[in-house]
Amino acid sequence: MPPQRGKTPKKNKNGSGSQTEPVEVYCRIRPLDNPDDPVCLKAVNTNTCILTPQENAIARNGQVKELQYQFQYVFDEYTSQKAVYDYVAMPLMEDLIKGKNGLLFTYGITSSGKTYTMTGTPDDQGLMPRCLDVLFNSISGLQAKKYVFKPDRMNGFEIQTDADAMMERQRREILPGLTTPKTPGRGRNHGEFGEHGRMSDPTRVEDIDEGNIYAVFVSYIEIYNNYVYDLLEELPHDPITGYKPPQSKILRTDSNDNMYVMNCVEVEIKSPQEAFEVLYKGQKRRKVAHTALNAESSRSHSIFNIRLVQAPLDANTDMIAQVQDQEKNICVSQLSLVDLAGSERTNRTKNTGERMKEAGNINQSLMVLRNCLELLRENQKTGLGKLVPYRDSKLTHLFKNYFDGDGKVRMVVCVNPKAIEYDETIHVMKFAEMTQEVLVTKSQQVKFEILEAPMIKKPPVIEDYIPMMTYSLGPTFPSLEVLHCRDEYTLDQLSDFLDERNRLKENLMIDFNRKQDQFRAQLVKIEKEYNEMKSRSHESQSVLEKRESYIQKLESRLRSLEKRQDETSRQFKECERERRELESKLQDKNMKIRQEKTEKDRLRSDFRNRLEHNNQQWEKNLQKERNKIENELEGQINEKQHKLNMLRHIVNTETDSDTPTARFRTPAPKARTYTTPGKIMSARSETDMSSVGKNPVPTPRSRTQTATVTSARSMHGLNKVGTPKNTPQYNPRHRRSRSSNAEIWLDHRPPGSVELVFRGHDCTVLQPKLKKKKSVSKLEVKDTKEATKYILTHQDIDSAGELETKLIKGNMLPTAGGGTAVVFNDVETLKQISPGSRKRRSSCPQPTDYDGDWTDVEDRCGIAIEGHSRKRSRGTEKVSRV
Ligand code: ADP
Ligand code: MG
């Protein structure tokens, strides 16, 4: 079967939507060689350190203040190697096993502890040996057989069958051992990391996919003067000078755009010990230049690459799963551990010649690294796609993928806190600060396409029962180079060697036979175990059957119970539904009740408000009415009181005026003018009989024809002006009223009417002279029997507040039914006017005197007027009524 080929899966390269993370920078401060030395840097907490300028530094750089730097973590001088590993490298190891790439480098000036941090000492190992320990601890038992994965020299791997792998093993390991004399000490001298005294790290990554098989490959390169050297390559031997100078390697890009060192030796290792052998071999070759600063100071960048190849196992065949595209079946992840050269400036090295060139180049590649990171950060900030000069140095070119593509990048900044290192340290810190702003793409966890079959635990294989068969091949084949024809020594050596080999073969045969017997015994044992298991399985079978029947019974019971449960749950649901319905009805009713109650409350309050309002209104009206009535009554009382006073006064005056002098002296309390309709004054009022029948009280149309008494008097009495002294006080002659025709008058004066009588004269103005009359205050039927005429005295206060007396006259006619009807035909009006407060109704001149005969009305008016005009001089008039 041809070997299957596999390539490193293509990594995500700045793909859209990929997550980024910053370069994580850690700071490690090494302890001082001399504890009394002044320091310029100290850790203040686990993230912060402070750089303090020294006196000379201030003077030179103008720096005066303390500088504070923050990092992912600051390890002080007391931090152990293990702690540094746990914080810095352990996550990278976990990533490596999950198929993610990582880059870890130490940066700092010479003698700042970079190599110590990266490699450490056998007693106190650094990051690199710990990584190897942890890796093998984690994948132990899951390693592929050697040479199953085979580098394809193009940065990829191919998968070989087990047979091919075995062949290769023989070819590369057993045969060379048979043909090449063993290098003295090879395989036993592990250098400073020899097995003796080495403290291995017991940590392991827990979360490991046990469905995969793993293989570890390491390579070790050095970049020196911007040349790449393979530290694991066998140096060509120069018979004269010994080793020839190594050939530099070139960098290539693989099919997935990953950078790699072409033709670089990659060694598959199966244990940490093998790894240390390789490391030691490389270290031996590492060019170490001794400088005045540090006897072991390296002028080169060393890069130790660990590549982990993994592929999923087919659970059934226990072989690597077969898929169409084998590339997708292999995952290669890489962790690069880089110990950079010292970052100090050239002039500090005090080197000359070749050394100076080295230092210059070292700084040159670090400078390029710095430029690249700065540009990368700028591009990420501004979004500009400036070209990052990765190709300017081999170092940056090789790690281009970490910054451009994906993978975690971590840097440990090593610092020697000695005060005299301040100037260099400040550059280191600035670079470190800038670096942690650079973003790199986060790696995605690798997922294999297959793994359809569920992973089952591997059954015990026959090898587990067979004791390990290890064969020593004995001494190496002697050199058969015959120096001359009598070279017995070589032949003897060969013969001894062959004898030895024969002995060894016999021993091996014995051993083989013994192991064969053991194997047979094991087989018998296995068969026995198998039979036992079989019988046990029969027993188990019957037990199982019993259990099965029991289970069936239980199941049938369970089914019936389930049925009942279903029924119950159905009923329960029904009840629940009814309950819900009732609840909803109840809620509706409650709501209605609440609404009605609210409505009732509202109506009640409305009604109460209205009632209150009405009550108030009524009370207000009543109060108003009462006030009005009270006022009216009060007015009437006052009026009456006033009239009473006047009457009293008049009576008193009358009593006092038995003599004319006395009578005339008493002035009338108030002059009055009486008006009467002219018609009545002149003759008899023509009764408008047409209207009488319709209206018991004739409309006072005659008022339009009224003339004041004053004017009447002036008309009749102008000729009497000038004789006031002879004018009688009143005219005693009274023209007979029309009502004096021997008719029987029914004089109806309602109670409370004011008497129209002059005291002592028994007459008054417009006082009707009724010969036969019967005066009543309340009309009775019997009174109407005899009477033929009817006169009603009606008194009222006019709008001006004056007393107005109306005499309403009518004929009394017997009716067919035996009753009496009154037909009104005349109205006489008597009005009293106060001259002081009243406007005169006539423009006629006021008569001053009267001398002559007056008619009834005229006389009375005249008396009144006289009274009025003379009241002050004589004071004799009396008004019959007030
Ligand atoms: P660099 O590689 O940076 O030039 P080294 O790692 O060689 O420096 O360290 C210089 C010296 O300092 C070595 O002797 C080393 O043992 C010692 N050293 C450095 N860091 C520490 C540390 N954290 N603890 C103890 N010794 C240290
Ligand atoms: Mg070093």
Side-chain angles (χ1 to χ4, degrees):
M1 191 173 146
Q4 300 164 27
R5 291 172 60 82
K7 286 271 158 75
T8 311
K10 196 171 178 114
K11 305 285 182 189
N12 186 12
K13 288 186 186 302
N14 288 341
S16 58
S18 54
Q19 292 178 318
T20 55
E21 58 184 346
V23 173
E24 290 174 7
V25 179
Y26 298 81
C27 177
R28 186 177 196 190
I29 302 169
R30 62 156 282 192
L32 290 169
D33 291 326
N34 179 5
D36 299 330
D37 283 347
V39 296
C40 63
L41 184 90
K42 57 175 185 267
V44 286
N45 59 40
T46 54
N47 298 105
T48 317
C49 59
I50 286 181
L51 184 65
T52 319
Q54 297 305 302
E55 295 302 316
N56 55 352
I58 299 167
R60 239 186 305 150
N61 295 345
Q63 293 275 354
V64 283
K65 59 177 184 188
E66 283 185 344
L67 295 166
Q68 191 170 302
Y69 296 95
Q70 293 221 324
F71 298 107
Q72 193 77 15
Y73 206 99
V74 176
F75 302 107
D76 62 11
E77 54 271 46
Y78 308 109
T79 313
S80 69
Q81 296 276 63
K82 169 77 176 152
V84 177
Y85 170 81
D86 286 346
Y87 269 100
V88 183
M90 188 62 182
L92 294 175
M93 277 319 294
E94 287 168 352
D95 279 2
L96 181 77
I97 289 170
K98 284 176 188 160
K100 301 179 190 176
N101 293 340
L103 168 65
L104 172 63
F105 54 94
T106 50
Y107 183 91
I109 58 168
T110 301
S111 192
S112 59
K114 298 184 298 296
T115 308
Y116 181 82
T117 300
M118 192 54 86
T119 315
T121 61
D123 306 334
D124 204 3
Q125 298 176 98
L127 302 176
M128 193 193 295
R130 283 176 196 273
C131 281
L132 290 167
D133 276 340
V134 172
L135 179 60
F136 283 104
N137 290 343
S138 307
I139 62 168
S140 75
L142 300 168
Q143 286 199 60
K145 288 198 177 95
K146 209 166 183 178
Y147 304 117
V148 167
F149 295 106
K150 187 181 167 196
D152 65 356
R153 306 176 75 83
M154 286 182 293
N155 210 32
F157 287 88
E158 27 180 65
I159 300 171
Q160 298 193 109
T161 58
D162 277 4
D164 287 346
M166 196 177 277
M167 291 277 284
E168 179 142 7
R169 198 156 60 233
Q170 273 194 350
R171 187 168 52 82
R172 288 173 67 164
E173 286 180 10
I174 298 171
L175 288 180
L178 290 173
T179 54
T180 325
K182 212 165 194 177
T183 318
R186 183 179 182 265
R188 286 188 293 275
N189 186 356
H190 297 158
E192 55 183 328
F193 290 100
E195 280 307 287
H196 306 291
R198 196 183 84 83
M199 295 280 290
S200 61
D201 194 322
T203 320
R204 62 186 299 242
V205 177
E206 293 300 332
D207 185 21
I208 188 157
D209 191 344
E210 294 188 358
N212 296 347
I213 56 164
Y214 302 85
V216 181
F217 292 82
V218 293
S219 59
Y220 198 15
I221 58 167
E222 179 189 47
I223 298 176
Y224 176 67
N225 277 348
N226 211 22
Y227 288 109
V228 181
Y229 298 102
D230 182 356
L231 292 179
L232 301 183
E233 192 183 43
E234 290 289 341
L235 285 178
H237 196 259
D238 185 10
I240 301 158
T241 56
Y243 292 115
K244 280 185 184 170
Q247 291 290 308
S248 68
K249 301 286 176 188
I250 56 166
L251 300 182
R252 277 276 175 90
T253 312
D254 71 7
S255 55
N256 287 327
D257 289 340
N258 293 315
M259 294 304 301
Y260 73 101
V261 182
M262 203 174 119
N263 291 331
C264 174
V265 174
E266 241 180 326
V267 183
E268 184 176 6
I269 50 171
K270 291 287 161 197
S271 66
Q273 290 69 37
E274 281 186 40
F276 294 128
E277 272 183 35
V278 172
L279 188 66
Y280 177 66
K281 185 181 164 191
Q283 277 183 341
K284 271 212 311 185
R285 294 195 51 210
R286 188 167 181 200
K287 186 165 183 66
V288 176
H290 295 270
T291 65
L293 288 173
N294 188 334
E296 287 187 1
S297 155
S298 168
R299 310 312 311 154
S300 63
H301 313 287
S302 73
I303 299 149
F304 189 77
N305 273 318
I306 305 171
R307 292 222 286 173
L308 180 69
V309 187
Q310 50 186 307
L313 267 185
D314 189 324
N316 301 317
T317 60
D318 204 19
M319 307 265 284
I320 293 173
Q322 301 288 317
V323 290
Q324 285 284 321
D325 186 358
Q326 197 61 52
E327 260 190 45
K328 289 177 181 167
N329 207 18
I330 291 183
C331 170
V332 182
S333 48
Q334 173 173 316
L335 175 63
S336 300
L337 303 168
V338 185
D339 183 3
L340 291 174
S343 68
E344 63 274 356
R345 289 165 294 176
T346 315
N347 57 4
R348 270 198 72 207
T349 61
K350 298 177 201 152
N351 290 323
T352 52
E354 187 69 12
R355 289 279 168 81
M356 191 69 169
K357 189 181 164 200
E358 288 171 19
N361 281 329
I362 291 160
N363 282 333
Q364 180 60 29
S365 54
L366 288 180
M367 193 65 77
V368 174
L369 175 67
R370 193 187 191 116
N371 289 343
C372 287
L373 291 179
E374 271 176 1
L375 264 171
L376 204 56
R377 186 186 58 160
E378 195 183 320
N379 281 349
Q380 285 163 357
K381 274 189 179 167
T382 59
L384 297 171
K386 283 190 186 170
L387 188 73
V388 183
Y390 293 115
R391 286 169 179 271
D392 286 4
S393 90
K394 290 281 188 302
L395 181 73
T396 51
H397 198 192
L398 188 62
F399 295 127
K400 171 178 177 288
N401 293 99
Y402 286 101
F403 298 109
D404 249 4
D406 58 6
K408 220 187 240 324
V409 181
R410 291 188 168 190
M411 180 169 90
V412 182
V413 176
C414 299
V415 188
N416 187 347
K418 262 207 269 193
I420 55 162
E421 305 288 3
Y422 174 81
D423 288 353
E424 293 297 336
T425 306
I426 194 165
H427 283 102
V428 172
M429 298 309 258
K430 276 184 187 164
F431 172 69
E433 206 177 33
M434 182 272 293
T435 304
Q436 61 186 346
E437 288 178 22
V438 176
L439 297 172
V440 290
T441 313
K442 228 177 180 174
S443 296
Q444 306 295 317
Q445 180 151 5
V446 171
K447 285 196 176 67
F448 294 108
E449 281 195 346
I450 55 148
L451 298 177
E452 293 139 1
M455 296 311 297
I456 52 170
K457 195 168 163 46
K458 274 201 309 185
V461 290
I462 201 78
E463 282 90 339
D464 292 347
Y465 294 92
I466 304 169
M468 279 299 290
M469 287 188 266
T470 47
Y471 299 102
S472 166
L473 295 170
T476 49
F477 211 82
S479 169
L480 296 178
E481 201 179 338
V482 180
L483 298 173
H484 50 88
C485 58
R486 298 176 67 88
D487 190 359
E488 294 289 330
Y489 176 72
T490 306
L491 287 175
D492 287 348
Q493 248 194 338
L494 180 62
S495 149
D496 289 349
F497 172 74
L498 290 175
D499 288 346
E500 182 70 18
R501 269 288 169 101
N502 272 336
R503 261 199 315 280
L504 191 66
K505 191 182 164 191
E506 279 164 16
N507 286 344
L508 281 175
M509 279 306 290
I510 293 164
D511 190 41
F512 179 75
N513 288 334
R514 188 175 51 82
K515 282 181 176 162
Q516 203 176 23
D517 292 343
Q518 278 180 358
F519 179 67
R520 286 215 174 98
Q522 284 282 3
L523 261 184
V524 172
K525 197 176 152 196
I526 288 167
E527 203 155 348
K528 212 169 141 191
E529 278 178 10
Y530 173 73
N531 288 335
E532 276 175 16
M533 274 169 68
K534 219 171 172 182
S535 71
R536 271 209 301 270
S537 103
H538 278 302
E539 283 168 21
S540 310
Q541 192 70 26
S542 67
V543 173
L544 268 178
E545 276 166 10
K546 274 184 201 164
R547 288 218 171 146
E548 205 146 289
S549 71
Y550 180 66
I551 286 169
Q552 275 173 359
K553 270 186 208 164
L554 283 177
E555 273 180 350
S556 75
R557 218 177 129 199
L558 187 70
R559 272 197 292 278
S560 72
L561 282 172
E562 272 176 356
K563 224 174 181 180
R564 272 172 60 191
Q565 194 199 7
D566 283 350
E567 182 63 22
T568 318
S569 76
R570 196 186 56 73
Q571 283 174 358
F572 176 75
K573 272 181 194 162
E574 189 66 25
C575 288
E576 188 70 11
R577 193 181 56 76
E578 278 176 17
R579 189 185 63 81
R580 272 202 295 272
E581 272 177 16
L582 285 172
E583 255 179 19
S584 80
K585 275 183 190 168
L586 189 70
Q587 274 180 0
D588 285 353
K589 291 218 164 141
N590 278 344
M591 195 178 278
K592 270 184 191 166
I593 287 168
R594 274 201 298 275
Q595 279 175 354
E596 278 173 12
K597 199 166 168 252
T598 318
E599 184 64 18
K600 260 186 196 169
D601 287 350
R602 194 184 63 75
L603 285 173
R604 193 176 289 138
S605 79
D606 206 13
F607 176 74
R608 266 203 214 108
N609 288 342
R610 278 191 195 181
L611 196 68
E612 212 165 296
H613 182 255
N614 283 351
N615 282 348
Q616 283 174 358
Q617 199 67 30
W618 272 105
E619 268 174 25
K620 224 185 264 176
N621 288 346
L622 273 175
Q623 189 65 30
K624 223 189 231 170
E625 202 64 31
R626 197 189 302 144
N627 289 346
K628 197 174 152 193
I629 291 167
E630 273 177 8
N631 286 343
E632 271 178 17
L633 286 174
E634 208 170 308
Q636 282 177 11
I637 287 167
N638 287 344
E639 182 86 2
K640 284 192 177 159
Q641 192 65 38
H642 181 65
K643 284 173 188 170
L644 205 64
N645 287 344
M646 279 179 72
L647 279 173
R648 196 175 290 142
H649 180 72
I650 289 166
V651 170
N652 290 342
T653 312
E654 189 119 332
T655 316
D656 294 344
S657 61
D658 286 343
T659 58
T661 320
R663 186 159 48 113
F664 283 118
R665 260 203 312 268
T666 309
K670 197 175 179 186
R672 302 285 180 197
T673 303
Y674 296 90
T675 60
T676 188
K679 246 182 165 180
I680 298 171
M681 275 168 52
S682 57
R684 299 293 173 264
S685 301
E686 291 296 324
T687 306
D688 186 357
M689 293 308 289
S690 61
S691 62
V692 165
K694 292 172 193 168
N695 197 348
V697 180
T699 45
R701 282 185 299 167
S702 54
R703 280 189 190 169
T704 54
Q705 299 161 354
T706 57
T708 60
V709 173
T710 311
S711 67
R713 186 189 174 283
S714 64
M715 281 163 64
H716 296 284
L718 270 178
N719 54 345
K720 294 178 184 102
V721 174
T723 60
K725 285 175 186 173
N726 304 327
T727 309
Q729 287 177 27
Y730 62 90
N731 190 356
R733 291 181 298 150
H734 293 283
R735 196 182 59 171
R736 277 186 66 186
S737 151
R738 203 174 57 165
S739 60
S740 65
N741 292 339
E743 289 123 345
I744 300 167
W745 285 87
L746 182 59
D747 185 13
H748 182 193
R749 291 174 189 238
S753 299
V754 178
E755 279 298 317
L756 300 171
V757 176
F758 264 128
R759 189 179 285 269
H761 292 281
D762 201 22
C763 64
T764 183
V765 178
L766 264 177
Q767 177 65 31
K769 280 193 177 175
L770 309 172
K771 277 188 179 169
K772 281 186 181 175
K773 70 165 182 181
K774 183 178 181 182
S775 293
V776 293
S777 62
K778 194 180 169 194
L779 203 57
E780 302 282 340
V781 176
K782 61 180 170 52
D783 301 327
T784 61
K785 296 296 176 196
E786 297 157 11
T788 56
K789 294 275 188 181
Y790 175 79
I791 182 164
L792 172 70
T793 306
H794 171 72
Q795 291 179 330
D796 204 355
I797 307 290
D798 69 358
S799 59
E802 300 295 347
L803 183 69
E804 188 181 69
T805 306
K806 282 181 184 162
L807 299 176
I808 303 157
K809 296 175 185 174
N811 295 330
M812 297 191 78
L813 305 171
T815 61
T820 311
V822 180
V823 178
F824 291 99
N825 51 14
D826 198 7
V827 178
E828 288 179 13
T829 306
L830 210 79
K831 210 166 187 181
Q832 193 176 22
I833 300 167
S834 175
S837 61
R838 212 148 304 259
K839 203 175 160 187
R840 295 171 87 86
R841 295 207 175 183
S842 168
S843 57
C844 296
Q846 184 72 28
T848 55
D849 208 352
Y850 177 69
D851 193 7
D853 289 340
W854 291 358
T855 62
D856 184 344
V857 175
E858 282 166 350
D859 285 351
R860 291 169 202 221
C861 289
I863 291 165
I865 291 160
E866 275 297 301
H868 168 68
S869 60
R870 294 170 194 164
K871 64 185 175 183
R872 283 185 179 84
S873 57
R874 294 188 292 177
T876 53
E877 301 89 353
K878 296 181 186 67
V879 178
S880 61
R881 59 171 290 278
V882 178

